Amino acid sequence: MNEYFPHLYEPIQIAGLRLKNRLISSPTSQADIEPDGTLGVHNIAYFGHKARGGAALVTVGDGIVHPTGQDHPRQVLLYKETVMASLLRCAEEIHKYGSKACIQLSHGGIACNPAFIGGRRPIGPSELPVSIGFQTEGSVETKSEAMTVEMREELARAYGEAAARVKKCGFDMVQLHGAQGWLISQFLSPNTNRRKDEYGGSAENRCRFPIMVLKAIRNAVGPKFPISMRINGWDGVEGGLELEDSLELCRILEPYVDAFHVSASVHYEALLQDLMQSPIYTPRGHLLKYAAAVKQVVRKPVITIGGHSDLATMEEIVASGQADVIAMGRQLVADPYLPKKGMLGKANTVRQCLRCANCQSGRFTFGAARCSLNPLIGREYESDFWPPAKEKRKVLVIGGGPGGMEAAITAARRGHEVTLCEAADSLGGALKFARYVDFKSDLYRLIGTMEQELKELPVTVKLNTRVTPEEAKWGRYDAVLVAVGADEIVPPFPGVEQDFVMMAAHAHEHGENVGENVVVIGGGMVGCETALDFAGQGKQVTIVEMAPRVSGDANFRYVRTIAMEIEKRGFQTAVSTRCTSIGDHMVEAVGPDGAAVTFPADTVILAVGMKAREGLAESFRECAPQVLDIGNCVKPGQVKEAIRSGFDAAMFLD
């Protein structure tokens, strides 16, 4: 029995499969799948790292079972025999670390862009007008085709053939994707299933095609091979599944399923897609209630998802019987080693996912995921070939923000002798503002996590230590890594010196001095999050932004999240509006039509950007044989850029 989290590390049996613990990787997919629908070496390494981190089960997402089912530009095409070699390698990579391999069987149904399925109309339970917007310039408007008897039979066979193929390649489980608005979900939901025959109407009728598919899979894989099913506990759309409907469906489907993986919401509604992804403004575990309800009506194991990241909370979920297994998606991107860390009693070194959506946005924007906290994401394969440090070096890191801390951690892990100097009385740098913002608690927690990582390494940390170039030179270091950060920009217009004008970081720290009527100048991420914070406290807030829209520096998914949260919290944004001066408790500006406009303000908060401390960084240039700049002192950015640059500087020292 594990002494730290006994319930999480108790093995569980799902049909004929034994899982070594209750922590699994939920189905995730990637955009850099090979053009022929096979998994490349980078994809395989990505899933392998999750297994290396201790997850009991690693699930490959979006395995498409039929040529009519592709809903993204690149997916694993299970209907092709040519995929088998890459599946075999993927299963072997996962098994190397004692984990079990699962793959999700999916079909996009009416959500398939005709461009991905040979130009034909997408198929589904009913003929419906559909609007598709996955990686397209605007939406694609089309109409779905209602599936015939022959189509249903052909697709059921395709699911079975795909399941047989992945089993042959060494996978230990399959998951039928019956949630979130894809084909099986479309049959289960009255919102998308408008059929008047025996495949529509009652719950039993809506289950007919999913059961046909499940039977085909069972016939293909045999009696003991586990089949899990992802199902919605709630659709969230008018005419969709409510919880009671889902519970009835689970009762009907249970004889054909070995475990239920309970999700909620649908992808084709922007607000609900965001909820499905557990955005930063949503409480963690927000989908647990659906899994807990399913757990009350079925005997098969129940898996929960929904932003889980805290081991103690997950232990309580399993201990209390709300769910049997915890699935994590982005959390095991941010820190694939969470399961191992929990087993060893190192929960305080888990980097908890920020839910910033950089990984998801990178997948769609660049075709490759990147993570704010994990600089190895997207480089898992190549990282296995990085050589060890040639020799131990004496390294000085100047600055204790996220970039500096990451540089010190990485350099120490490489075996170097590391000293980290920070001018302030605590580490964290620009992240320290997050202490005062409720929805930024994960970002503030990161400081403590990285501090703990430093404590477990031979790093000398010196606080209240402002290093001069002369002192750096006298230390005779082999390398100096400069992470001195950036300063908030004070705009040059009149009135900024008045006592009711604050910088954003200062406003968070001294929120008691912020008045009821707040004007935030600058509508980038800092300005938007500042406005959201004070609007959440009941202040009357206005953002004044020069650009045509706010949050222009946010990733595309977070842009949408911010927009919805602004609408929810109900404050004003004045875009294409240039501030000219700050008068007596008012902001004077020029609006989009060139006319003068004023905004009354008890408090004005400046959030117009950051300026790199280039001069300070440059002053250290001659202090060591190798001097590298890190993070904001190179170019002001977000925590992702700071951690990535700190990691790279330390990892690739000459």
Side-chain angles (χ1 to χ4, degrees):
M1 177 183 291
N2 183 273
E3 61 181 300
Y4 306 106
F5 304 106
H7 294 87
L8 286 181
Y9 293 94
E10 180 184 1
I12 185 172
Q13 194 82 13
I14 299 179
L17 183 67
R18 182 181 184 272
L19 299 183
K20 62 184 178 182
N21 61 51
R22 308 299 182 94
L23 301 169
I24 70 171
S25 165
S26 64
T28 56
S29 54
Q30 297 171 292
D32 57 345
I33 301 293
E34 299 300 310
D36 62 355
T38 61
L39 291 162
V41 293
H42 296 283
N43 311 136
I44 292 169
Y46 164 81
F47 292 110
H49 271 238
K50 294 175 185 287
R52 186 183 295 184
L57 182 75
V58 177
T59 306
V60 178
D62 280 350
I64 302 301
V65 301
H66 191 268
T68 60
Q70 189 172 344
D71 47 69
H72 286 70
R74 291 194 183 183
Q75 293 175 296
V76 182
L77 303 182
L78 297 179
Y79 57 85
K80 293 186 173 184
E81 285 195 12
T82 51
V83 79
M84 293 181 71
S86 71
L87 292 177
L88 174 65
R89 293 189 186 101
C90 187
E92 289 175 340
E93 183 68 16
I94 292 168
H95 290 156
K96 273 166 51 175
Y97 306 104
S99 298
K100 304 301 182 182
C102 178
I103 195 162
Q104 186 181 64
L105 308 181
S106 187
H107 187 294
I110 66 174
C112 294
N113 187 330
F116 305 155
I117 56 174
R120 66 161 297 152
R121 287 165 57 192
I123 61 174
S126 305
E127 184 176 80
L128 296 170
V130 290
S131 179
I132 301 162
F134 292 112
Q135 288 190 332
T136 59
E137 301 244 354
S139 62
V140 174
E141 306 298 327
T142 185
K143 182 176 283 189
S144 63
E145 180 181 343
M147 289 168 61
T148 63
V149 172
E150 293 76 19
M151 287 179 182
R152 291 194 296 273
E153 292 175 348
E154 181 179 341
L155 277 190
R157 284 195 301 272
Y159 274 101
E161 290 166 1
R165 185 165 289 136
V166 300
K167 180 184 178 184
K168 188 174 183 179
C169 292
F171 277 78
D172 307 289
M173 178 189 284
V174 292
Q175 180 192 93
L176 177 62
H177 197 346
Q180 300 166 347
W182 308 108
L183 178 65
I184 300 299
S185 174
Q186 291 160 20
F187 267 91
L188 292 175
S189 175
N191 175 260
T192 44
N193 185 345
R194 315 283 177 83
R195 300 184 71 97
K196 303 300 183 184
D197 61 7
E198 69 271 25
Y199 288 88
S202 68
E204 289 81 2
N205 285 356
R206 285 180 280 117
C207 283
R208 285 184 190 276
F209 177 65
I211 289 173
M212 183 189 301
V213 168
L214 287 164
K215 286 181 176 179
I217 294 172
R218 177 59 68 205
N219 289 337
V221 298
K224 293 187 178 180
F225 190 85
I227 303 170
S228 70
M229 183 172 182
R230 196 173 222 189
I231 191 167
N232 269 2
W234 172 76
D235 283 350
V237 293
E238 185 177 353
L241 295 178
E242 299 294 337
L243 178 56
E244 285 304 316
D245 303 317
S246 297
L247 298 181
E248 184 178 5
L249 295 176
C250 289
R251 293 187 191 99
I252 296 169
L253 294 167
E254 185 175 16
Y256 311 97
V257 173
D258 297 307
F260 286 99
H261 187 130
V262 185
S263 183
S265 74
V266 293
H267 66 83
Y268 49 81
E269 292 284 344
L271 177 62
L272 291 167
Q273 185 179 119
D274 219 50
L275 180 67
M276 181 175 73
Q277 304 292 351
S278 181
I280 187 173
Y281 303 100
T282 304
R284 290 190 181 276
H286 65 295
L287 303 181
L288 172 62
K289 59 186 177 183
Y290 303 113
V294 171
K295 178 71 177 158
Q296 296 301 309
V297 301
V298 301
R299 295 185 178 182
K300 302 290 177 63
V302 172
I303 303 164
T304 181
I305 58 172
H308 299 296
S309 66
D310 178 68
L311 280 156
T313 302
M314 291 187 276
E315 167 73 11
E316 174 57 27
I317 289 170
V318 176
S320 62
Q322 296 177 81
D324 299 291
V325 177
I326 311 290
M328 292 165 284
R330 288 172 296 167
Q331 176 55 51
L332 293 186
V333 173
D335 193 341
Y337 287 86
L338 177 147
K340 269 191 178 173
K341 289 177 178 180
M343 182 175 64
L344 298 173
K346 295 182 177 292
N348 56 355
T349 65
V350 171
R351 293 194 181 186
Q352 294 191 27
C353 172
L354 301 179
R355 299 189 292 174
C356 61
N358 271 322
C359 55
Q360 296 163 321
S361 293
R363 178 187 167 211
F364 286 102
T365 304
F366 308 111
R370 293 294 183 267
C371 176
S372 293
L373 302 184
N374 186 349
L376 287 180
I377 293 302
R379 302 192 287 182
E380 296 90 349
Y381 176 72
E382 64 194 76
S383 70
D384 287 340
F385 301 96
W386 288 338
K390 293 178 182 178
E391 58 184 71
K392 184 175 183 177
R393 298 191 180 278
K394 186 178 179 184
V395 178
L396 172 65
V397 180
I398 304 174
M405 287 193 286
E406 180 65 33
I409 289 165
T410 304
R413 286 176 177 163
R414 297 275 287 168
H416 299 306
E417 178 187 338
V418 183
T419 300
L420 170 62
C421 293
E422 164 57 44
D425 61 1
S426 62
L427 298 175
L431 302 186
K432 288 191 281 191
F433 85 93
R435 176 180 183 179
Y436 308 99
V437 183
D438 58 354
F439 56 81
K440 285 292 192 179
S441 59
D442 293 325
L443 191 60
Y444 184 67
R445 186 184 295 111
L446 176 64
I447 300 173
T449 301
M450 297 184 81
E451 285 179 327
Q452 185 61 37
E453 292 179 69
L454 286 166
K455 288 176 184 177
E456 296 188 3
L457 293 165
V459 177
T460 300
V461 177
K462 296 182 178 181
L463 301 177
N464 298 304
T465 303
R466 189 177 298 278
V467 180
T468 66
E470 292 75 21
E471 290 168 335
K473 194 168 186 177
W474 293 338
R476 296 186 178 278
Y477 293 96
D478 299 306
V480 174
L481 308 183
V482 184
V484 293
D487 294 310
E488 291 184 284
I489 294 173
V490 180
F493 44 71
V496 294
E497 74 287 347
Q498 298 179 81
D499 59 6
F500 63 91
V501 180
M502 299 180 175
M503 306 306 295
H506 182 79
H508 290 300
E509 185 174 356
H510 300 283
E512 71 278 4
N513 297 326
V514 174
E516 292 304 306
N517 200 355
V518 179
V519 175
V520 178
I521 300 177
M525 277 183 62
V526 172
C528 285
E529 291 183 337
T530 299
L532 287 168
D533 178 30
F534 287 110
Q537 298 177 36
K539 312 286 188 185
Q540 298 298 310
V541 180
T542 301
I543 294 177
V544 178
E545 168 56 43
M546 292 177 59
R549 67 176 178 87
V550 297
S551 65
D553 55 342
N555 65 63
F556 91 88
R557 189 177 286 282
Y558 194 45
V559 164
R560 188 173 65 196
T561 301
I562 286 176
M564 291 189 291
E565 200 64 23
I566 287 173
E567 183 177 354
K568 187 186 301 182
R569 302 197 184 199
F571 59 82
Q572 180 182 359
T573 59
V575 297
S576 300
T577 301
R578 179 173 57 86
C579 178
T580 56
S581 64
I582 300 175
D584 182 12
H585 287 283
M586 71 172 56
V587 171
E588 298 167 344
V590 176
D593 58 357
V597 60
T598 60
F599 302 93
D602 299 317
T603 301
V604 176
I605 299 175
L606 304 177
V608 299
M610 306 288 288
K611 182 179 180 181
R613 293 171 178 162
E614 294 175 347
L616 179 56
E618 187 62 30
S619 69
F620 292 98
R621 193 63 54 220
E622 305 300 325
C623 293
Q626 191 169 13
V627 178
L628 298 172
D629 297 339
I630 294 169
N632 281 350
C633 71
V634 179
K635 179 184 177 182
Q638 298 166 18
V639 67
K640 178 182 72 173
E641 288 78 23
I643 287 181
R644 176 73 170 248
S645 65
F647 176 87
D648 285 352
M651 177 61 70
F652 303 111
L653 285 173
D654 290 339

